Amino acid sequence: MEISLSPLEFTPRNNSTSVAPATAAPSLEVRGDVPAVVVTITPPVETPAVYSEPVTVVSYLRDKSHTGTAAQATNQALLGSLAQIKNGKAPVAVSHLFSQVAALGRETGEYRNEVREFRVPSRVAVDKFTPDFTAAKGKRMESVFLSLRTRDGDNIHIQFGRNTIRDGTSVMTFSFEVEGELSEGEHQALAALMEKLGAMGDEFFRSDTTELRGLKELDRDFIAGFSFKLQRYNPATDSYVEHSYEYRVDEVAQTQTLRAGDVNGYQVDITTQLSRLADQASLEAGLLQAYLDLIAHAADKSSAPNASTRFMLDAFSSLFDGYLTLATEKAGLTLTQANLAAFDSGMPDFSASFRSPVYHNPGFYSQIAAMSLTMEQQTRREQTGENQLVKQQTGYQLSYSKFANIPNQALDMLGGFYTYIQERESAETNRILSMTGDRVNNLWVEQEADRETTRLRFENYKLVDKEAYSYGDRQLEEYAELLKKLNANNQHSAVHELLMASKGNIFLNLM
């Protein structure tokens, strides 16, 4: 709509025919019933629309030379993956790509392909359009990096990624490469593991988290380890959130190691022996739960998100829940073996650490909010003639620091008036078995625990009050006399019965 303004023409009030001198300004008066401005309204003029040529968004494969059945199925899975997320109707999924890997490995040692969306003008026939794959791939949005190593020394590398281009279309890439020659057993082991990791990838892209839920799909007869990294772009922070697992078996040291990190910055590092003191020993659920309760306690102290708590619990249980069995009488064991099985915790020796991200006080940078938990079990055996001494030592250390009633994420708003809390807990349990030949001479259980807490109160970043206190407890039990009374002819049952309490409550309670 157009509005134009015009000045009003004025008429002198005196109607006389006399004319004022040319140099004199006329005397004018505005009539009250006449407007000072004339408003003219004209209809709006429509601007001609800019013509946009209709286009069709079509997906094209870069390489159509792969002729094998598995390769063609992978091509279709790649096209399907891109179609699935088109218009944001579904998150990225990698399981149907990963499920093709074992079959793909039987056909070829290398596969690389890319599917890209193109805007094809409607006047051009889709089958006549020539796609240009040389243009930049744009912003990386999701990616998966997976490397596996077999016990024979073969290496397998898999990569998946999706990028977005400035015009809103997507590019998706997938590659598979084998260094070496895979056996049939390795192909089967690979297929089982890829099903698991593919499902984990789908879970991550749906919820930013995922869990191992055990390693029963990992065939250690063929797979020596893997490195699995998942990433997703977070536009809110212009950074990538990442979840990772690295698992490996060291045949020389006879150990297995799991290192993992989640999107919130929590880190897990666990190394265990591949064998136990007594292979016939049973890990009771109560003992495993005692360790899980300790991890949950540490997570609570650091105000860990629920997803990070589950992540740490899952990582630990994934390495040990395979040892869980019902305690039953073992047939065909010697008395020495039966006594060792009754004494053993049922867990292989291990060391484990759990760490939270570190949050600094912006006004006092050396003060941090953080959590660190370490746990371990070590077993030592000494043999002198017929005399044997076995010591199984279990311990943990937990240290954490925090700002009272202030969540870690809110430290930028902390200010100079606050209370800073530092706490350290530690506990150790030693179980000692003395035997001569196949006879148990004595059994000891020694437990101790300590806690130290410091509370520092600051005003305008100056320390104005300090409060410190500590607590400790120690217990020692010797069972020589009870061993004689309980069952002189079936001592392994007596050993098992006497140790049940210390296995269920592995540490003195400080929580």
Side-chain angles (χ1 to χ4, degrees):
M1 178 180 296
E2 180 180 323
I3 301 176
S4 61
L5 306 179
S6 303
L8 182 70
E9 295 182 359
F10 297 98
T11 304
R13 193 172 186 179
N14 186 357
N15 294 327
S16 154
T17 58
S18 60
V19 178
T23 58
S27 175
L28 301 177
E29 180 178 345
V30 178
R31 293 167 53 189
D33 59 344
V34 178
V37 176
V38 175
V39 179
T40 303
I41 300 177
T42 59
V45 178
E46 295 290 341
T47 303
V50 177
Y51 174 74
S52 297
E53 183 178 11
V55 296
T56 302
V57 179
V58 183
S59 299
Y60 290 88
L61 279 169
R62 173 189 284 269
D63 187 357
K64 298 181 181 179
S65 64
H66 302 288
T67 58
T69 302
Q72 291 182 359
T74 305
N75 289 346
Q76 291 304 313
L78 192 56
L79 285 163
S81 294
L82 192 60
Q84 184 177 4
I85 63 170
K86 196 170 184 178
N87 300 322
K89 292 182 178 179
V92 166
V94 296
S95 56
H96 47 305
L97 278 166
F98 278 30
S99 64
Q100 300 295 331
V101 165
L104 190 62
R106 290 184 172 93
E107 287 185 355
T108 179
E110 183 175 2
Y111 169 94
R112 298 178 186 277
N113 217 335
E114 171 186 331
V115 60
R116 184 183 295 221
E117 291 178 324
F118 291 91
R119 295 181 177 275
V120 181
S122 297
R123 58 183 169 78
V124 179
V126 170
D127 58 347
K128 301 296 183 181
F129 180 76
T130 303
D132 179 12
F133 285 90
T134 62
K137 294 182 180 179
K139 183 78 173 179
R140 179 168 59 91
M141 302 304 291
E142 298 95 5
S143 55
V144 179
F145 304 92
L146 173 61
S147 294
L148 299 99
R149 185 172 179 82
T150 70
R151 290 188 63 176
D152 288 344
D154 301 323
N155 292 296
I156 303 163
H157 304 287
I158 297 168
Q159 289 190 22
F160 165 86
R162 185 182 75 92
N163 294 30
T164 57
I165 304 175
R166 187 172 298 175
D167 64 3
T169 58
S170 292
V171 180
M172 191 172 285
T173 58
F174 182 73
S175 66
F176 165 80
E177 181 182 6
V178 178
E179 298 174 359
E181 295 291 334
L182 300 183
S183 67
E184 180 56 31
E186 289 171 332
H187 282 303
Q188 294 179 7
L190 177 63
L193 183 57
M194 292 303 295
E195 289 287 344
K196 178 185 185 66
L197 298 182
M200 290 173 62
D202 290 354
E203 182 181 6
F204 171 79
F205 291 123
R206 283 195 306 268
S207 61
D208 275 357
T209 186
T210 191
E211 296 174 14
L212 278 172
R213 297 181 180 88
L215 287 168
K216 58 183 179 295
E217 295 88 353
L218 181 70
D219 190 338
R220 293 179 181 85
D221 290 336
F222 296 99
I223 304 295
F226 64 87
S227 176
F228 188 42
K229 183 184 296 184
L230 300 149
Q231 292 181 328
R232 182 188 64 80
Y233 177 67
N234 181 6
T237 59
D238 192 26
S239 61
Y240 291 89
V241 296
E242 179 178 303
H243 199 115
S244 64
Y245 290 99
E246 182 179 349
Y247 174 85
R248 62 184 175 86
V249 175
D250 187 330
E251 294 292 344
V252 176
Q254 282 293 287
T255 60
Q256 61 176 344
T257 299
L258 174 65
R259 295 186 177 94
D262 78 342
V263 299
N264 296 311
Y266 283 78
Q267 302 289 325
V268 173
D269 191 339
I270 308 171
T271 298
T272 83
Q273 295 292 318
L274 293 176
S275 60
R276 297 173 286 178
L277 170 65
D279 290 336
Q280 306 85 2
S282 297
L283 171 59
E284 297 182 12
L287 178 58
L288 180 60
Q289 188 60 48
Y291 287 107
L292 296 176
D293 289 343
L294 182 56
I295 297 169
H297 169 64
D300 180 63
K301 290 294 184 181
S302 67
S303 301
N306 290 336
S308 294
T309 301
R310 293 194 302 270
F311 157 72
M312 292 187 287
L313 294 172
D314 169 75
F316 189 80
S317 61
S318 289
L319 287 184
F320 294 103
D321 60 6
Y323 295 99
L324 283 171
T325 56
L326 295 176
T328 57
E329 291 290 330
K330 305 296 192 303
L333 299 182
T334 66
L335 288 177
T336 299
Q337 291 172 331
N339 288 331
L340 289 175
F343 172 80
D344 192 10
S345 71
M347 298 182 72
D349 284 354
F350 73 92
S351 63
S353 69
F354 304 83
R355 301 185 185 279
S356 73
V358 176
Y359 298 90
H360 292 270
N361 178 357
F364 200 144
Y365 199 73
S366 62
Q367 290 179 348
I368 60 172
M371 178 276 292
S372 173
L373 170 66
T374 60
M375 305 187 300
E376 67 174 356
Q377 175 185 291
Q378 295 182 356
T379 303
R380 298 179 178 87
R381 296 178 67 176
E382 298 178 8
Q383 183 88 35
T384 305
E386 290 190 345
N387 297 318
Q388 182 175 187
L389 192 67
V390 184
K391 180 180 181 180
Q392 200 160 69
Q393 180 183 59
T394 304
Y396 82 87
Q397 288 191 344
L398 169 62
S399 62
Y400 60 90
S401 50
K402 62 182 180 180
F403 300 86
N405 303 319
I406 301 294
N408 296 335
Q409 294 81 356
L411 289 185
D412 286 342
M413 307 295 293
L414 180 63
F417 296 79
Y418 58 89
T419 298
Y420 183 50
I421 302 172
Q422 296 173 300
E423 193 157 291
R424 185 189 67 83
E425 296 179 12
S426 63
E428 184 175 284
T429 296
N430 293 296
R431 298 182 299 115
I432 304 170
L433 176 71
S434 173
M435 297 179 63
T436 299
D438 57 12
R439 296 285 300 172
V440 177
N441 300 320
N442 206 346
L443 182 66
W444 298 270
V445 177
E446 180 182 16
Q447 294 178 297
E448 60 180 327
D450 296 282
R451 173 187 286 159
E452 298 176 356
T453 303
T454 303
R455 299 175 66 91
L456 306 173
R457 187 163 62 86
F458 289 82
E459 293 182 0
N460 199 23
Y461 296 110
K462 292 183 179 180
L463 180 64
V464 296
D465 188 35
K466 178 178 179 179
E467 180 182 357
Y469 52 91
S470 61
Y471 167 82
D473 193 10
R474 183 176 182 274
Q475 296 180 9
L476 174 64
E477 296 185 74
E478 182 181 5
Y479 296 110
E481 294 301 319
L482 279 175
L483 280 167
K484 295 176 183 178
K485 294 178 181 179
L486 282 173
N487 196 334
N489 297 318
N490 194 8
Q491 286 194 318
H492 64 275
S493 295
V495 170
H496 174 74
E497 183 176 341
L498 292 171
L499 291 179
M500 282 182 63
S502 65
K503 288 182 179 181
N505 301 297
I506 189 69
F507 302 116
L508 291 177
N509 188 15
L510 284 174
M511 293 186 253

